[in-house]
Each structure stands twice: as C-alpha cells, then as structure tokens.
Amino acid sequence: MSTALLKVTDLKTYFPINNGILKKSTGFVKAVDGISFSLTKGETLGLVGESGCGKSTTGRSILRLIEPTSGSVKYKGVEVTTLKKNDLRKIRKNMQIVFQDPYASLNPRLTIGSILEEALSTHRIGNHSKERKEIVMDLLEKVGLNSKLVDRYPHEFSGGQRQRIGIARAVAVNPSIIIADEPVSALDVSIQAQILNLFQDFQDKMGLAYIFIAHDLSVVKHISDKIGVMYLGRIVEFASKDELFNHPSHPYTNALMSSVPVPNPTLKKERIILKGDVPNPASPPSGCTFHTRCHACMDICKTVQPKGIEISPGHIVACHLYN
Ligand SMILES: Nc1ncnc2c1ncn2[C@@H]1O[C@H](COP(=O)(O)OP(=O)(O)OP(=O)(O)O)[C@@H](O)[C@H]1O
Ligand SMILES: [Mg+2]
C-alpha cells in the first residue's frame, strides 16, 4: 500500500457573513464543510460540481491561500494548517496551483521570462540569474512554446499559450502536487485537449499528482484516477473513475452524468434534468442539502443529513438511499 502524499481530513472553510454598519457576523457560508481524501504520488483526483459548491475554496484552503476554519491537511505527514510562514513557503514549493484564467494570474507588466524567473527565485532554484535564465528557456520549450518568445508580455499570447505559461510556472519549482483549478474552462474546445495532454505529459515525466477541478465530468473523465463529486461544500460521492462511471450512485452524480455526451448514441440512457439552481450556501437546505433538487427525495432526506457509506470498496456515497 502506497503512503499518502497528501491527506486531507474533515477540512472546513467557513466565510463569515457580515451585515449592517457594525459588520456584525450574522452567520457563515460553509464553502467547504468537512472534506476528506488522500492522494498518492502520480495520482489524479478529479473534483467536480456546479458553480459555488466549494471546489476552488477546497483547493485554496489546502495551500492556505485561504485559511481553513478547521480540519487537517498533511503533506508527507507534516501538518500544513499550523505551519509558520517560513515553513509554509518551503512546503508550498511542493504544491503548486494553476488557475482558470491564465491572464488574470500572470502579471501583465512582466515578461514571461521574468514571471518564470521570479517563481524560481522565490523558491531559491538556480544559483544565479544566468542559470535561472537557462532553466526558463528549457521550461518554455518543455511546455511547447518557442524560447525566442521569452521577452514577450502575457497579452501577446493566446489563451492556450498563456495557460502553457501558467503550467510552466507551476512545474518550474519541481512540485509533487499541482492543484489545477478549472485550467481548461476558459479555453476553446479545440485547445482544451492540447492542454490536457500537456498535463498528462508532465504527470508521466515527473510523477506529479493532480487535484483537477472541473465543472463537468467529461473534462475529468480521461485524466482522473478517482473522482469526488461535490455539492454545497461536501463530497457526496467518491470512487475510482471506472467505478464512478460504471456505477454512479448518488442522484446528484446521476444528474451530472446525464449531461456528459454519450460516445455511442445507440446507447440509450435516461436523462435526469437537475431542477432549479444550487441553493444559497449561506442558508443551505436542512437534512440532505441536495433534497430540494433530488428526484429520489424521501421524507428522511428533509431532516437528517446522510452519512457517507462505503457501498463497495473505496466507493462512498452520502445518500439515504444507501444509509
Ligand atoms: N472570499 C470569500 N468570501 C465569502 N464567500 C466566499 C469567498 N470565496 C468563496 N465564497 C463563497 O463560497 C462558496 C464556494 O465558492 P467556490 O469559489 O469555492 O466555489 P466553486 O465550486 O469553485 O465555484 P465555481 O465553479 O463557480 O468556480 C460560494 O458560495 C462563494 O460565494
Ligand atoms: Mg471555482
């Protein structure tokens, strides 16, 4: 059994809701409300769910770009949530993030060469400027960009090229985990596959582990080893990719599956249309938070929050159909 590179246990991140001129806290948005999973070397966890279900907050809380409210994040057995600034900086070298919008995440006033050099010097990689410049040239070629473009600015590149720069910046410091927060959502469909392939290449070459965040299952289908389906701050179903696609069990997962295109159109599947929008996370529904949109809702679902049940090895579902 391989040991966990990253182990997240009961992670919670609540944002206070401040009302009135005194800014008194009147409640919380439970953006992440008790998430647990582990990740081993070279593995990809896909995290999927609709907008606002807490995917980005999960990713950022792991890196402490947002401070989690409670829970544990262990990187190679070291508790990250309590690390002091200097130790946190050292451990962040191992866990990098790639953002959805590659333009907003690249400083428009710096050339791409300077952006990459800055990442290297932050983590004290390369002994001197000349060495860092060589590493940068090599990185650009590795992500499929001509190293002659090193002195250009982010706005001179296309969306796909900018995401290649974002990936170069993440892999520059030789991390073991990359959190990719919807890295292809802003790109044309024709470019998405190229970027996904680039992620795959780096994983094969560097043994990287990914937390790959996406809105819909079709994006994570190829890249993921295992998948967590999130709804209002919780993982409602967790399984290996094959198990999830062969035996989707939570009504929410089934609804998300219905929107994944079927490769063989003669294979008929029943479409489950999700009713309404995601409820306001500041006042989530009682019981199972999905009950207001669920086609299989029973009385108990309105009052009792379902616990995660292991319905087959490694396949966990939080739904009263199985409780
Ligand atoms: N800094 C913040 N302050 C207050 N509330 C926040 C903050 N960041 C996120 N939220 C709220 O937390 C919830 C989860 O947001 P989050 O961005 O993690 O969702 P997401 O799943 O990444 O959504 P999307 O798919 O749109 O990116 C949302 O209701 C959001 O409004
Ligand atoms: Mg997000």
Side-chain angles (χ1 to χ4, degrees), residues 15-16 29 31 49-58 66 100 181-182 215 281:
F15 296 109
V29 173
E50 288 162 289
S51 187
C53 69
K55 305 179 298 293
S56 297
T57 308
T58 302
I66 298 172
Q100 171 174 352
D181 189 355
E182 306 214 35
H215 262 84

Side-chain angles (χ1 to χ4, degrees), residues 11-320:
L11 186 71
K12 295 182 180 173
T13 305
Y14 294 177
F15 296 109
I17 304 164
N18 298 318
N19 274 344
I21 44 167
L22 293 175
K23 295 276 180 223
K24 249 181 86 181
S25 175
T26 54
F28 295 95
V29 173
K30 296 180 176 179
V32 177
D33 198 18
I35 279 190
S36 305
F37 64 84
S38 62
L39 197 64
T40 55
K41 183 174 160 39
E43 192 177 39
T44 301
L45 165 70
L47 269 186
V48 292
E50 288 162 289
S51 187
C53 69
K55 305 179 298 293
S56 297
T57 308
T58 302
R60 285 164 201 228
S61 301
I62 290 168
L63 296 173
R64 284 179 60 196
L65 298 173
I66 298 172
E67 287 294 338
T69 308
S70 66
S72 160
V73 175
K74 283 191 173 158
Y75 175 77
K76 290 189 176 169
V78 176
E79 182 59 53
V80 176
T81 57
T82 51
L83 283 181
K84 297 272 186 307
K85 213 173 159 190
N86 213 14
D87 292 329
L88 181 62
R89 185 178 53 80
K90 283 186 198 147
I91 221 155
R92 275 202 186 134
K93 176 181 170 300
N94 301 293
M95 294 193 278
Q96 292 288 304
I97 189 162
V98 173
F99 296 99
Q100 171 174 352
D101 182 347
Y103 197 50
S105 64
L106 301 174
N107 186 341
R109 282 187 289 272
L110 295 182
T111 63
I112 60 162
S114 310
I115 289 170
L116 296 176
E117 271 185 63
E118 193 179 74
L120 294 172
S121 50
T122 302
H123 292 289
R124 299 184 185 144
I125 295 174
N127 291 320
H128 41 74
S129 172
K130 186 166 171 279
E131 192 176 336
R132 282 195 282 274
K133 281 202 168 67
E134 280 164 14
I135 298 174
V136 166
M137 301 303 245
D138 183 47
L139 268 169
L140 288 176
E141 298 286 344
K142 278 194 179 132
V143 296
L145 291 171
N146 191 327
S147 57
K148 285 186 189 130
L149 306 174
V150 66
D151 292 324
R152 302 265 178 104
Y153 290 85
H155 74 265
E156 298 179 74
F157 293 89
S158 68
Q161 288 174 322
R162 284 198 289 260
Q163 198 54 294
R164 288 177 191 272
I165 300 160
I167 294 169
R169 181 174 56 181
V171 298
V173 300
N174 210 1
S176 39
I177 301 175
I178 290 182
I179 297 178
D181 189 355
E182 306 214 35
V184 300
S185 307
L187 306 177
D188 288 353
V189 175
S190 58
I191 309 292
Q192 287 187 359
Q194 296 173 12
I195 298 298
L196 288 173
N197 285 339
L198 189 61
F199 272 104
Q200 201 92 61
D201 282 354
F202 276 112
Q203 182 162 55
D204 295 344
K205 284 189 197 126
M206 298 171 70
L208 285 167
Y210 293 141
I211 297 175
F212 206 97
I213 295 172
H215 262 84
D216 80 87
L217 282 159
S218 58
V219 172
V220 295
K221 185 170 183 183
H222 296 289
I223 202 162
S224 301
D225 298 301
K226 53 192 188 185
I227 295 177
V229 178
M230 282 188 74
Y231 193 75
L232 285 177
R234 297 200 176 94
I235 293 180
V236 295
E237 181 159 8
F238 191 96
S240 70
K241 174 184 65 182
D242 291 341
E243 173 69 11
L244 192 90
F245 275 89
N246 291 332
H247 305 287
S249 300
H250 195 287
Y252 182 56
T253 311
N254 276 307
L256 291 181
M257 276 306 169
S258 290
S259 57
V260 176
V262 187
N264 177 358
T266 56
L267 248 176
K268 280 229 167 65
K269 62 172 185 177
E270 212 182 318
R271 284 189 75 82
I272 304 166
I273 308 293
L274 269 176
K275 295 186 276 187
D277 294 323
V278 182
N280 179 358
S283 53
S286 58
C288 171
T289 53
F290 184 59
H291 86 257
T292 52
R293 302 170 77 199
C294 182
H295 69 275
C297 180
M298 304 175 286
D299 276 346
I300 188 175
C301 308
K302 297 173 188 166
T303 51
V304 181
Q305 187 184 311
K307 289 193 171 62
I309 298 287
E310 193 166 21
I311 59 166
S312 62
H315 187 171
I316 298 164
V317 187
C319 173
H320 286 300

